[in-house]
PDB file of all heavy atoms in Angstrom:
ATOM      1  N   GLY A   1       4.278  -8.479   1.499  1.00 92.00           N
ATOM      2  CA  GLY A   1       3.839  -7.408   0.612  1.00 92.00           C
ATOM      3  C   GLY A   1       3.578  -6.092   1.312  1.00 92.00           C
ATOM      4  O   GLY A   1       3.426  -5.055   0.659  1.00 92.00           O
ATOM      5  N   LEU A   2       3.531  -6.100   2.645  1.00 95.00           N
ATOM      6  CA  LEU A   2       3.197  -4.885   3.392  1.00 95.00           C
ATOM      7  C   LEU A   2       4.243  -3.793   3.188  1.00 95.00           C
ATOM      8  O   LEU A   2       3.899  -2.624   3.007  1.00 95.00           O
ATOM      9  CB  LEU A   2       3.051  -5.203   4.879  1.00 95.00           C
ATOM     10  CG  LEU A   2       2.666  -4.027   5.787  1.00 95.00           C
ATOM     11  CD1 LEU A   2       1.286  -3.494   5.429  1.00 95.00           C
ATOM     12  CD2 LEU A   2       2.699  -4.467   7.254  1.00 95.00           C
ATOM     13  N   VAL A   3       5.524  -4.160   3.205  1.00 97.00           N
ATOM     14  CA  VAL A   3       6.597  -3.167   3.092  1.00 97.00           C
ATOM     15  C   VAL A   3       6.477  -2.388   1.778  1.00 97.00           C
ATOM     16  O   VAL A   3       6.523  -1.157   1.754  1.00 97.00           O
ATOM     17  CB  VAL A   3       7.973  -3.844   3.204  1.00 97.00           C
ATOM     18  CG1 VAL A   3       9.091  -2.852   2.849  1.00 97.00           C
ATOM     19  CG2 VAL A   3       8.192  -4.384   4.606  1.00 97.00           C
ATOM     20  N   GLY A   4       6.328  -3.106   0.681  1.00 98.00           N
ATOM     21  CA  GLY A   4       6.232  -2.444  -0.612  1.00 98.00           C
ATOM     22  C   GLY A   4       4.980  -1.603  -0.755  1.00 98.00           C
ATOM     23  O   GLY A   4       5.015  -0.485  -1.281  1.00 98.00           O
ATOM     24  N   HIS A   5       3.853  -2.128  -0.264  1.00 98.00           N
ATOM     25  CA  HIS A   5       2.607  -1.365  -0.359  1.00 98.00           C
ATOM     26  C   HIS A   5       2.682  -0.085   0.483  1.00 98.00           C
ATOM     27  O   HIS A   5       2.218   0.985   0.038  1.00 98.00           O
ATOM     28  CB  HIS A   5       1.422  -2.234   0.082  1.00 98.00           C
ATOM     29  CG  HIS A   5       0.967  -3.195  -0.966  1.00 98.00           C
ATOM     30  ND1 HIS A   5       1.334  -4.518  -0.960  1.00 98.00           N
ATOM     31  CD2 HIS A   5       0.173  -3.038  -2.057  1.00 98.00           C
ATOM     32  CE1 HIS A   5       0.783  -5.130  -1.999  1.00 98.00           C
ATOM     33  NE2 HIS A   5       0.072  -4.256  -2.676  1.00 98.00           N
ATOM     34  N   ILE A   6       3.259  -0.170   1.661  1.00 98.00           N
ATOM     35  CA  ILE A   6       3.406   1.032   2.486  1.00 98.00           C
ATOM     36  C   ILE A   6       4.354   2.031   1.824  1.00 98.00           C
ATOM     37  O   ILE A   6       4.143   3.246   1.889  1.00 98.00           O
ATOM     38  CB  ILE A   6       3.890   0.663   3.900  1.00 98.00           C
ATOM     39  CG1 ILE A   6       2.739   0.018   4.691  1.00 98.00           C
ATOM     40  CG2 ILE A   6       4.411   1.876   4.652  1.00 98.00           C
ATOM     41  CD1 ILE A   6       3.115  -0.398   6.098  1.00 98.00           C
ATOM     42  N   THR A   7       5.396   1.520   1.173  1.00 98.00           N
ATOM     43  CA  THR A   7       6.319   2.403   0.459  1.00 98.00           C
ATOM     44  C   THR A   7       5.589   3.213  -0.604  1.00 98.00           C
ATOM     45  O   THR A   7       5.813   4.420  -0.754  1.00 98.00           O
ATOM     46  CB  THR A   7       7.454   1.585  -0.183  1.00 98.00           C
ATOM     47  OG1 THR A   7       8.161   0.875   0.830  1.00 98.00           O
ATOM     48  CG2 THR A   7       8.420   2.493  -0.926  1.00 98.00           C
ATOM     49  N   ILE A   8       4.706   2.551  -1.332  1.00 98.00           N
ATOM     50  CA  ILE A   8       3.917   3.270  -2.352  1.00 98.00           C
ATOM     51  C   ILE A   8       3.028   4.307  -1.683  1.00 98.00           C
ATOM     52  O   ILE A   8       2.986   5.473  -2.094  1.00 98.00           O
ATOM     53  CB  ILE A   8       3.056   2.281  -3.163  1.00 98.00           C
ATOM     54  CG1 ILE A   8       3.925   1.253  -3.880  1.00 98.00           C
ATOM     55  CG2 ILE A   8       2.186   3.030  -4.180  1.00 98.00           C
ATOM     56  CD1 ILE A   8       3.146   0.060  -4.429  1.00 98.00           C
ATOM     57  N   ALA A   9       2.305   3.888  -0.644  1.00 98.00           N
ATOM     58  CA  ALA A   9       1.345   4.779   0.013  1.00 98.00           C
ATOM     59  C   ALA A   9       2.022   5.987   0.644  1.00 98.00           C
ATOM     60  O   ALA A   9       1.439   7.078   0.694  1.00 98.00           O
ATOM     61  CB  ALA A   9       0.568   4.004   1.083  1.00 98.00           C
ATOM     62  N   ASN A  10       3.260   5.829   1.126  1.00 98.00           N
ATOM     63  CA  ASN A  10       3.962   6.907   1.818  1.00 98.00           C
ATOM     64  C   ASN A  10       4.809   7.778   0.895  1.00 98.00           C
ATOM     65  O   ASN A  10       5.467   8.708   1.358  1.00 98.00           O
ATOM     66  CB  ASN A  10       4.866   6.333   2.915  1.00 98.00           C
ATOM     67  CG  ASN A  10       4.078   5.805   4.102  1.00 98.00           C
ATOM     68  OD1 ASN A  10       2.880   6.065   4.230  1.00 98.00           O
ATOM     69  ND2 ASN A  10       4.733   5.066   4.966  1.00 98.00           N
ATOM     70  N   SER A  11       4.806   7.489  -0.379  1.00 98.00           N
ATOM     71  CA  SER A  11       5.606   8.270  -1.317  1.00 98.00           C
ATOM     72  C   SER A  11       5.000   9.651  -1.542  1.00 98.00           C
ATOM     73  O   SER A  11       3.803   9.875  -1.307  1.00 98.00           O
ATOM     74  CB  SER A  11       5.708   7.538  -2.660  1.00 98.00           C
ATOM     75  OG  SER A  11       6.335   6.288  -2.509  1.00 98.00           O
ATOM     76  N   ALA A  12       5.824  10.570  -1.991  1.00 98.00           N
ATOM     77  CA  ALA A  12       5.327  11.915  -2.326  1.00 98.00           C
ATOM     78  C   ALA A  12       4.305  11.805  -3.447  1.00 98.00           C
ATOM     79  O   ALA A  12       4.532  11.096  -4.435  1.00 98.00           O
ATOM     80  CB  ALA A  12       6.488  12.804  -2.751  1.00 98.00           C
ATOM     81  N   PRO A  13       3.167  12.495  -3.330  1.00 98.00           N
ATOM     82  CA  PRO A  13       2.113  12.387  -4.348  1.00 98.00           C
ATOM     83  C   PRO A  13       2.398  13.261  -5.569  1.00 98.00           C
ATOM     84  O   PRO A  13       1.611  14.131  -5.940  1.00 98.00           O
ATOM     85  CB  PRO A  13       0.866  12.854  -3.593  1.00 98.00           C
ATOM     86  CG  PRO A  13       1.395  13.843  -2.607  1.00 98.00           C
ATOM     87  CD  PRO A  13       2.753  13.325  -2.184  1.00 98.00           C
ATOM     88  N   ASP A  14       3.548  13.027  -6.195  1.00 97.00           N
ATOM     89  CA  ASP A  14       3.932  13.834  -7.357  1.00 97.00           C
ATOM     90  C   ASP A  14       3.987  13.017  -8.643  1.00 97.00           C
ATOM     91  O   ASP A  14       4.295  13.555  -9.710  1.00 97.00           O
ATOM     92  CB  ASP A  14       5.282  14.511  -7.107  1.00 97.00           C
ATOM     93  CG  ASP A  14       6.395  13.516  -6.772  1.00 97.00           C
ATOM     94  OD1 ASP A  14       6.172  12.290  -6.896  1.00 97.00           O
ATOM     95  OD2 ASP A  14       7.488  13.961  -6.382  1.00 97.00           O
ATOM     96  N   GLY A  15       3.721  11.712  -8.551  1.00 98.00           N
ATOM     97  CA  GLY A  15       3.708  10.876  -9.743  1.00 98.00           C
ATOM     98  C   GLY A  15       5.035  10.242 -10.080  1.00 98.00           C
ATOM     99  O   GLY A  15       5.123   9.497 -11.072  1.00 98.00           O
ATOM    100  N   TYR A  16       6.069  10.488  -9.281  1.00 98.00           N
ATOM    101  CA  TYR A  16       7.383   9.940  -9.602  1.00 98.00           C
ATOM    102  C   TYR A  16       7.714   8.674  -8.819  1.00 98.00           C
ATOM    103  O   TYR A  16       8.756   8.067  -9.040  1.00 98.00           O
ATOM    104  CB  TYR A  16       8.458  11.013  -9.436  1.00 98.00           C
ATOM    105  CG  TYR A  16       8.330  12.051 -10.522  1.00 98.00           C
ATOM    106  CD1 TYR A  16       7.658  13.253 -10.298  1.00 98.00           C
ATOM    107  CD2 TYR A  16       8.799  11.799 -11.806  1.00 98.00           C
ATOM    108  CE1 TYR A  16       7.493  14.183 -11.307  1.00 98.00           C
ATOM    109  CE2 TYR A  16       8.631  12.718 -12.828  1.00 98.00           C
ATOM    110  CZ  TYR A  16       7.970  13.910 -12.576  1.00 98.00           C
ATOM    111  OH  TYR A  16       7.800  14.822 -13.594  1.00 98.00           O
ATOM    112  N   THR A  17       6.835   8.284  -7.921  1.00 98.00           N
ATOM    113  CA  THR A  17       6.898   6.951  -7.308  1.00 98.00           C
ATOM    114  C   THR A  17       5.508   6.353  -7.376  1.00 98.00           C
ATOM    115  O   THR A  17       4.592   6.824  -6.709  1.00 98.00           O
ATOM    116  CB  THR A  17       7.380   7.002  -5.852  1.00 98.00           C
ATOM    117  OG1 THR A  17       8.690   7.572  -5.804  1.00 98.00           O
ATOM    118  CG2 THR A  17       7.458   5.586  -5.276  1.00 98.00           C
ATOM    119  N   LEU A  18       5.376   5.352  -8.227  1.00 98.00           N
ATOM    120  CA  LEU A  18       4.128   4.622  -8.378  1.00 98.00           C
ATOM    121  C   LEU A  18       4.405   3.174  -7.985  1.00 98.00           C
ATOM    122  O   LEU A  18       5.484   2.853  -7.501  1.00 98.00           O
ATOM    123  CB  LEU A  18       3.619   4.713  -9.817  1.00 98.00           C
ATOM    124  CG  LEU A  18       3.444   6.124 -10.385  1.00 98.00           C
ATOM    125  CD1 LEU A  18       3.058   6.058 -11.864  1.00 98.00           C
ATOM    126  CD2 LEU A  18       2.406   6.901  -9.596  1.00 98.00           C
ATOM    127  N   GLY A  19       3.448   2.292  -8.169  1.00 98.00           N
ATOM    128  CA  GLY A  19       3.705   0.904  -7.832  1.00 98.00           C
ATOM    129  C   GLY A  19       2.617  -0.012  -8.331  1.00 98.00           C
ATOM    130  O   GLY A  19       1.566   0.427  -8.819  1.00 98.00           O
ATOM    131  N   VAL A  20       2.902  -1.288  -8.230  1.00 98.00           N
ATOM    132  CA  VAL A  20       1.919  -2.321  -8.546  1.00 98.00           C
ATOM    133  C   VAL A  20       1.320  -2.798  -7.234  1.00 98.00           C
ATOM    134  O   VAL A  20       2.045  -3.241  -6.335  1.00 98.00           O
ATOM    135  CB  VAL A  20       2.563  -3.505  -9.290  1.00 98.00           C
ATOM    136  CG1 VAL A  20       1.537  -4.613  -9.529  1.00 98.00           C
ATOM    137  CG2 VAL A  20       3.148  -3.037 -10.616  1.00 98.00           C
ATOM    138  N   ILE A  21       0.016  -2.692  -7.103  1.00 97.00           N
ATOM    139  CA  ILE A  21      -0.642  -3.189  -5.898  1.00 97.00           C
ATOM    140  C   ILE A  21      -1.371  -4.487  -6.225  1.00 97.00           C
ATOM    141  O   ILE A  21      -1.794  -4.711  -7.364  1.00 97.00           O
ATOM    142  CB  ILE A  21      -1.603  -2.171  -5.260  1.00 97.00           C
ATOM    143  CG1 ILE A  21      -2.852  -1.965  -6.116  1.00 97.00           C
ATOM    144  CG2 ILE A  21      -0.903  -0.856  -4.991  1.00 97.00           C
ATOM    145  CD1 ILE A  21      -3.965  -1.265  -5.371  1.00 97.00           C
ATOM    146  N   THR A  22      -1.460  -5.335  -5.227  1.00 94.00           N
ATOM    147  CA  THR A  22      -2.111  -6.635  -5.385  1.00 94.00           C
ATOM    148  C   THR A  22      -3.242  -6.746  -4.373  1.00 94.00           C
ATOM    149  O   THR A  22      -3.430  -5.873  -3.530  1.00 94.00           O
ATOM    150  CB  THR A  22      -1.093  -7.774  -5.208  1.00 94.00           C
ATOM    151  OG1 THR A  22      -0.468  -7.645  -3.928  1.00 94.00           O
ATOM    152  CG2 THR A  22      -0.027  -7.722  -6.294  1.00 94.00           C
ATOM    153  N   ILE A  23      -3.978  -7.834  -4.452  1.00 90.00           N
ATOM    154  CA  ILE A  23      -5.190  -7.973  -3.649  1.00 90.00           C
ATOM    155  C   ILE A  23      -4.900  -7.980  -2.148  1.00 90.00           C
ATOM    156  O   ILE A  23      -5.789  -7.715  -1.337  1.00 90.00           O
ATOM    157  CB  ILE A  23      -5.958  -9.238  -4.072  1.00 90.00           C
ATOM    158  CG1 ILE A  23      -7.421  -9.187  -3.589  1.00 90.00           C
ATOM    159  CG2 ILE A  23      -5.233 -10.494  -3.600  1.00 90.00           C
ATOM    160  CD1 ILE A  23      -8.303 -10.248  -4.193  1.00 90.00           C
ATOM    161  N   GLU A  24      -3.648  -8.221  -1.781  1.00 88.00           N
ATOM    162  CA  GLU A  24      -3.304  -8.205  -0.361  1.00 88.00           C
ATOM    163  C   GLU A  24      -3.604  -6.867   0.296  1.00 88.00           C
ATOM    164  O   GLU A  24      -3.821  -6.807   1.514  1.00 88.00           O
ATOM    165  CB  GLU A  24      -1.830  -8.572  -0.174  1.00 88.00           C
ATOM    166  CG  GLU A  24      -1.527 -10.042  -0.248  1.00 88.00           C
ATOM    167  CD  GLU A  24      -1.518 -10.596  -1.666  1.00 88.00           C
ATOM    168  OE1 GLU A  24      -1.564  -9.800  -2.638  1.00 88.00           O
ATOM    169  OE2 GLU A  24      -1.462 -11.823  -1.816  1.00 88.00           O
ATOM    170  N   THR A  25      -3.622  -5.792  -0.477  1.00 92.00           N
ATOM    171  CA  THR A  25      -3.897  -4.484   0.125  1.00 92.00           C
ATOM    172  C   THR A  25      -5.312  -4.395   0.677  1.00 92.00           C
ATOM    173  O   THR A  25      -5.606  -3.529   1.500  1.00 92.00           O
ATOM    174  CB  THR A  25      -3.653  -3.359  -0.903  1.00 92.00           C
ATOM    175  OG1 THR A  25      -3.608  -2.103  -0.225  1.00 92.00           O
ATOM    176  CG2 THR A  25      -4.750  -3.315  -1.958  1.00 92.00           C
ATOM    177  N   THR A  26      -6.192  -5.298   0.250  1.00 92.00           N
ATOM    178  CA  THR A  26      -7.552  -5.331   0.801  1.00 92.00           C
ATOM    179  C   THR A  26      -7.609  -6.076   2.126  1.00 92.00           C
ATOM    180  O   THR A  26      -8.649  -6.077   2.790  1.00 92.00           O
ATOM    181  CB  THR A  26      -8.533  -6.004  -0.178  1.00 92.00           C
ATOM    182  OG1 THR A  26      -8.190  -7.399  -0.302  1.00 92.00           O
ATOM    183  CG2 THR A  26      -8.487  -5.352  -1.544  1.00 92.00           C
ATOM    184  N   MET A  27      -6.499  -6.699   2.527  1.00 90.00           N
ATOM    185  CA  MET A  27      -6.505  -7.615   3.659  1.00 90.00           C
ATOM    186  C   MET A  27      -5.660  -7.153   4.843  1.00 90.00           C
ATOM    187  O   MET A  27      -5.829  -7.646   5.956  1.00 90.00           O
ATOM    188  CB  MET A  27      -6.004  -8.984   3.187  1.00 90.00           C
ATOM    189  CG  MET A  27      -6.854  -9.586   2.090  1.00 90.00           C
ATOM    190  SD  MET A  27      -5.960 -10.823   1.110  1.00 90.00           S
ATOM    191  CE  MET A  27      -5.519 -11.984   2.388  1.00 90.00           C
ATOM    192  N   PHE A  28      -4.739  -6.232   4.619  1.00 91.00           N
ATOM    193  CA  PHE A  28      -3.816  -5.842   5.687  1.00 91.00           C
ATOM    194  C   PHE A  28      -4.539  -5.274   6.908  1.00 91.00           C
ATOM    195  O   PHE A  28      -4.256  -5.644   8.041  1.00 91.00           O
ATOM    196  CB  PHE A  28      -2.816  -4.805   5.172  1.00 91.00           C
ATOM    197  CG  PHE A  28      -1.836  -5.330   4.164  1.00 91.00           C
ATOM    198  CD1 PHE A  28      -1.581  -4.630   2.987  1.00 91.00           C
ATOM    199  CD2 PHE A  28      -1.152  -6.519   4.381  1.00 91.00           C
ATOM    200  CE1 PHE A  28      -0.672  -5.102   2.062  1.00 91.00           C
ATOM    201  CE2 PHE A  28      -0.242  -7.008   3.455  1.00 91.00           C
ATOM    202  CZ  PHE A  28      -0.002  -6.291   2.287  1.00 91.00           C
ATOM    203  N   GLU A  29      -5.460  -4.370   6.672  1.00 93.00           N
ATOM    204  CA  GLU A  29      -6.108  -3.672   7.772  1.00 93.00           C
ATOM    205  C   GLU A  29      -6.864  -4.648   8.677  1.00 93.00           C
ATOM    206  O   GLU A  29      -6.837  -4.522   9.908  1.00 93.00           O
ATOM    207  CB  GLU A  29      -7.051  -2.601   7.226  1.00 93.00           C
ATOM    208  CG  GLU A  29      -7.492  -1.591   8.255  1.00 93.00           C
ATOM    209  CD  GLU A  29      -8.212  -0.416   7.612  1.00 93.00           C
ATOM    210  OE1 GLU A  29      -9.031  -0.638   6.692  1.00 93.00           O
ATOM    211  OE2 GLU A  29      -7.948   0.730   8.011  1.00 93.00           O
ATOM    212  N   ALA A  30      -7.516  -5.637   8.071  1.00 91.00           N
ATOM    213  CA  ALA A  30      -8.264  -6.612   8.856  1.00 91.00           C
ATOM    214  C   ALA A  30      -7.342  -7.472   9.712  1.00 91.00           C
ATOM    215  O   ALA A  30      -7.781  -8.069  10.696  1.00 91.00           O
ATOM    216  CB  ALA A  30      -9.096  -7.506   7.942  1.00 91.00           C
ATOM    217  N   GLN A  31      -6.072  -7.534   9.344  1.00 87.00           N
ATOM    218  CA  GLN A  31      -5.093  -8.280  10.126  1.00 87.00           C
ATOM    219  C   GLN A  31      -4.417  -7.412  11.184  1.00 87.00           C
ATOM    220  O   GLN A  31      -3.478  -7.864  11.839  1.00 87.00           O
ATOM    221  CB  GLN A  31      -4.026  -8.857   9.197  1.00 87.00           C
ATOM    222  CG  GLN A  31      -4.554  -9.839   8.171  1.00 87.00           C
ATOM    223  CD  GLN A  31      -3.475 -10.257   7.191  1.00 87.00           C
ATOM    224  OE1 GLN A  31      -2.564 -11.001   7.524  1.00 87.00           O
ATOM    225  NE2 GLN A  31      -3.560  -9.761   5.978  1.00 87.00           N
ATOM    226  N   GLY A  32      -4.882  -6.188  11.337  1.00 91.00           N
ATOM    227  CA  GLY A  32      -4.273  -5.286  12.288  1.00 91.00           C
ATOM    228  C   GLY A  32      -2.983  -4.674  11.797  1.00 91.00           C
ATOM    229  O   GLY A  32      -2.130  -4.271  12.604  1.00 91.00           O
ATOM    230  N   LEU A  33      -2.825  -4.574  10.470  1.00 92.00           N
ATOM    231  CA  LEU A  33      -1.611  -4.022   9.861  1.00 92.00           C
ATOM    232  C   LEU A  33      -1.970  -2.728   9.144  1.00 92.00           C
ATOM    233  O   LEU A  33      -2.394  -2.738   7.987  1.00 92.00           O
ATOM    234  CB  LEU A  33      -0.998  -5.027   8.879  1.00 92.00           C
ATOM    235  CG  LEU A  33      -0.619  -6.391   9.465  1.00 92.00           C
ATOM    236  CD1 LEU A  33      -0.222  -7.355   8.366  1.00 92.00           C
ATOM    237  CD2 LEU A  33       0.515  -6.238  10.471  1.00 92.00           C
ATOM    238  N   PRO A  34      -1.826  -1.587   9.783  1.00 93.00           N
ATOM    239  CA  PRO A  34      -2.210  -0.315   9.174  1.00 93.00           C
ATOM    240  C   PRO A  34      -1.169   0.165   8.170  1.00 93.00           C
ATOM    241  O   PRO A  34      -0.046  -0.319   8.123  1.00 93.00           O
ATOM    242  CB  PRO A  34      -2.270   0.627  10.380  1.00 93.00           C
ATOM    243  CG  PRO A  34      -1.245   0.072  11.326  1.00 93.00           C
ATOM    244  CD  PRO A  34      -1.311  -1.427  11.158  1.00 93.00           C
ATOM    245  N   GLY A  35      -1.584   1.140   7.357  1.00 95.00           N
ATOM    246  CA  GLY A  35      -0.650   1.805   6.466  1.00 95.00           C
ATOM    247  C   GLY A  35      -0.811   1.502   5.002  1.00 95.00           C
ATOM    248  O   GLY A  35      -0.164   2.139   4.165  1.00 95.00           O
ATOM    249  N   ALA A  36      -1.642   0.524   4.645  1.00 96.00           N
ATOM    250  CA  ALA A  36      -1.777   0.170   3.234  1.00 96.00           C
ATOM    251  C   ALA A  36      -3.209  -0.200   2.882  1.00 96.00           C
ATOM    252  O   ALA A  36      -3.454  -1.092   2.075  1.00 96.00           O
ATOM    253  CB  ALA A  36      -0.834  -0.976   2.890  1.00 96.00           C
ATOM    254  N   ALA A  37      -4.180   0.479   3.471  1.00 95.00           N
ATOM    255  CA  ALA A  37      -5.588   0.262   3.125  1.00 95.00           C
ATOM    256  C   ALA A  37      -5.876   0.897   1.765  1.00 95.00           C
ATOM    257  O   ALA A  37      -5.168   1.814   1.332  1.00 95.00           O
ATOM    258  CB  ALA A  37      -6.490   0.867   4.192  1.00 95.00           C
ATOM    259  N   PRO A  38      -6.893   0.427   1.046  1.00 95.00           N
ATOM    260  CA  PRO A  38      -7.195   0.974  -0.273  1.00 95.00           C
ATOM    261  C   PRO A  38      -7.332   2.498  -0.304  1.00 95.00           C
ATOM    262  O   PRO A  38      -6.961   3.141  -1.295  1.00 95.00           O
ATOM    263  CB  PRO A  38      -8.514   0.280  -0.648  1.00 95.00           C
ATOM    264  CG  PRO A  38      -8.436  -1.034   0.059  1.00 95.00           C
ATOM    265  CD  PRO A  38      -7.752  -0.737   1.372  1.00 95.00           C
ATOM    266  N   GLU A  39      -7.855   3.080   0.776  1.00 95.00           N
ATOM    267  CA  GLU A  39      -8.051   4.539   0.806  1.00 95.00           C
ATOM    268  C   GLU A  39      -6.733   5.305   0.830  1.00 95.00           C
ATOM    269  O   GLU A  39      -6.716   6.519   0.602  1.00 95.00           O
ATOM    270  CB  GLU A  39      -8.881   4.919   2.035  1.00 95.00           C
ATOM    271  CG  GLU A  39     -10.336   4.502   1.969  1.00 95.00           C
ATOM    272  CD  GLU A  39     -10.547   3.021   2.253  1.00 95.00           C
ATOM    273  OE1 GLU A  39      -9.601   2.358   2.742  1.00 95.00           O
ATOM    274  OE2 GLU A  39     -11.654   2.518   1.963  1.00 95.00           O
TER     275      GLU A  39
END
């Protein structure tokens, strides 16, 4: 799920790329996987 979540987070903030996020986004950072934290 990291690839898709990072794709959403790195998209232009214009509203034309949105996404479905799942609870895994709360867990990536604790696993040492940056780029998709809730913030």
